[in-house]
Amino acid sequence: MRSNMKKLDIRFLLRSGLRTSKSQFNSDIGHGSGIVTGRLLGNGLAPLQSRWFSAQAQTLESFKGHDMLAPFTSGWQSAELDPLVIERSEGSYIYDVNGRKYLDALAGLWCTALGGSEPRLVAAATAQLNKLPFYHSFWNRTTRPSLDLAKELLEMFTARKMGKAFFVNSGSEANDTQVKLVWYYNNALGRPEKKKFIARTKAYHGSTLISASLSGLPALHQQFDLPAPFVLHTDCPHYWRYHLPGETEEEFATRLANNLENLILKQGPETIAAFIAEPVMGAGGVIVPPATYFEKIQAVVKKYDILFIADEVICAFGRLGEMFGCDKYKITPDLVSIAKALSSGYLPIGAVLVSPEVADVISSQSNKLGAFSHGFTYSGHPVSCAVALEALKIYKERNIVERVRSLTPQFQDGLKAFSESPIVGEIRGTGLILGTEFADNKSPTDPFPPEWGVGAYFGAQCQKHGMLVRVAGDNIMMCPPLTITKEELDELISSYGKAMKETEERVMELKSQRK
């Protein structure tokens, strides 16, 4: 019976009508965290996924065709499938409306660093709501929590001295603000032509008009008339995928730095305002920089008076085994974007850290113009700031950086032990963040047929075994809460191993049918 069911699944998987090309599928790495992503699912995988999770729908009020225009979700999914509806959280686990328990191996969306239902964060929010639920920070009016948080962030960031903190509500808003700040800065210096930004292919910097333009993922540009013309993209620093035969990591980094310099010279250094980079690329596939990469890149941008923006939205607050990614990779940025773990995802908040040199120019220019005319109603929201302050206290008191360092060998080595699997191209990561990329023959140039849905199948098996991961094409990403225990990591590795074995079996069966 089981064999017949598997054959039925395969027939579903290979149904006619699949229209996704390999290039479309492989480029479809967005920001959603669903089990199955990509246009592929609009056709052949829909009935398969429906069968995999039909038991959930049978015991629930149906939410098919719900009223949300859901982010990073295709229309057919909302119309034809019941969403996974999460009801509560506790530590490293979340629970759906059926009461089913899942190990949250992505920490929500890379953000719940302190896990679910941390009582101190709930208490901080409650106390501030009772005292002052809202006030703004416009016109030299503000609140004590926002002032305290700005001071704390500037003291905590030690990769270099920063001068000011500007509050936003998300990582997207932070990177959107970065562009406006840099333009304002260069206009003040009498350099109106110095306005272009260089980002990297496969980078993720957000989904607003400007931050999506900075992102190097085609799915964020298609049909949105993006990227904006002032944004350029340079090489993705993925050594496994892009290095030349015999090229070492350092040689690869040198080649990428040379390519960046050539791009700057081609455009004209007087037109390039800033370079933006994640210390470790997150939604693009958990891409760890090759040896000496940031040392060489920083030398190039400094040579041409180009500002360096560190997008720390995923990496900040201990994720990599240092408080910030800049600490790990010796980055000395001019501007920094933070969000996500700033409040452990409990309330929307982000921030831009501004170097004294840039802050002084902005301040001087605002004096001439009468005001710095940028901000949001909820910039420095007192409740969000109160929760963020408490989160930063917890990171310090619980020595979260040392905790991540102590758990890293178990997490990284335990999962990288599956690197020899015949369906794995690469397993990569650092600290408590890791990516798995499936490939045939262990080659970056030999992907599995997109209609096989290898990554989607693996994600479904993880969910079957009570664990949620991030699926993007044939890439799997994991980023558990920093409070995860050793026993929970054992469970995570075990569920990953079961899903790997089942996915290997499916690939073998699909290959046999192809012969």
Side-chain angles (χ1 to χ4, degrees), residues 168-176 205-206 211 313 337-340 349-350:
V168 296
N169 304 292
S170 68
S172 292
E173 280 188 10
N175 288 325
D176 216 294
H205 297 296
S211 62
V313 171
S337 296
I338 54 177
K340 293 193 183 292
I349 187 170

Side-chain angles (χ1 to χ4, degrees), residues 405-438:
R405 289 174 183 169
S406 69
L407 292 173
T408 292
Q410 181 185 358
F411 179 65
Q412 294 290 333
D413 296 345
L415 293 174
K416 287 176 181 176
F418 296 94
S419 295
E420 296 307 310
S421 166
I423 65 171
V424 168
E426 183 185 38
I427 299 176
R428 53 187 176 262
T430 185
L432 289 184
I433 186 170
L434 180 137
T436 301
E437 187 162 349
F438 296 113

Side-chain angles (χ1 to χ4, degrees), residues 112-191:
T112 51
L114 295 174
S117 304
E118 165 56 53
R120 286 177 57 179
L121 299 186
V122 175
T126 303
Q128 187 60 44
L129 281 166
N130 285 325
K131 184 176 183 180
L132 178 68
F134 173 73
Y135 200 71
H136 62 81
S137 291
F138 285 35
W139 314 313
N140 204 31
R141 304 171 188 175
T142 190
T143 66
R144 184 61 182 266
S146 57
L147 292 172
D148 289 346
L149 182 58
K151 184 175 187 294
E152 183 65 28
L153 285 172
L154 295 183
E155 291 176 354
M156 181 176 275
F157 189 85
T158 58
R160 62 152 296 172
K161 177 178 174 55
M162 302 305 280
K164 296 287 183 181
F166 179 86
F167 291 117
V168 296
N169 304 292
S170 68
S172 292
E173 280 188 10
N175 288 325
D176 216 294
T177 291
Q178 296 283 20
V179 173
K180 291 186 70 178
L181 290 180
V182 171
W183 284 351
Y184 194 88
Y185 167 80
N186 278 316
N187 285 336
L189 293 177
R191 305 189 298 195

Side-chain angles (χ1 to χ4, degrees), residues 105-106 110 238 240 280-288 411-412 415-419 424-438 458 469-472 474-480 492 496 500:
L106 192 65
W110 323 80
H238 188 179
W240 174 74
V280 170
M281 299 175 81
V286 185
I287 298 169
V288 179
F411 179 65
Q412 294 290 333
L415 293 174
K416 287 176 181 176
F418 296 94
S419 295
V424 168
E426 183 185 38
I427 299 176
R428 53 187 176 262
T430 185
L432 289 184
I433 186 170
L434 180 137
T436 301
E437 187 162 349
F438 296 113
F458 178 88
V469 298
R470 164 82 163 86
V471 179
D474 280 348
N475 284 269
I476 305 298
M477 287 157 266
M478 305 174 78
C479 177
L492 180 153
Y496 180 99
M500 185 67 74

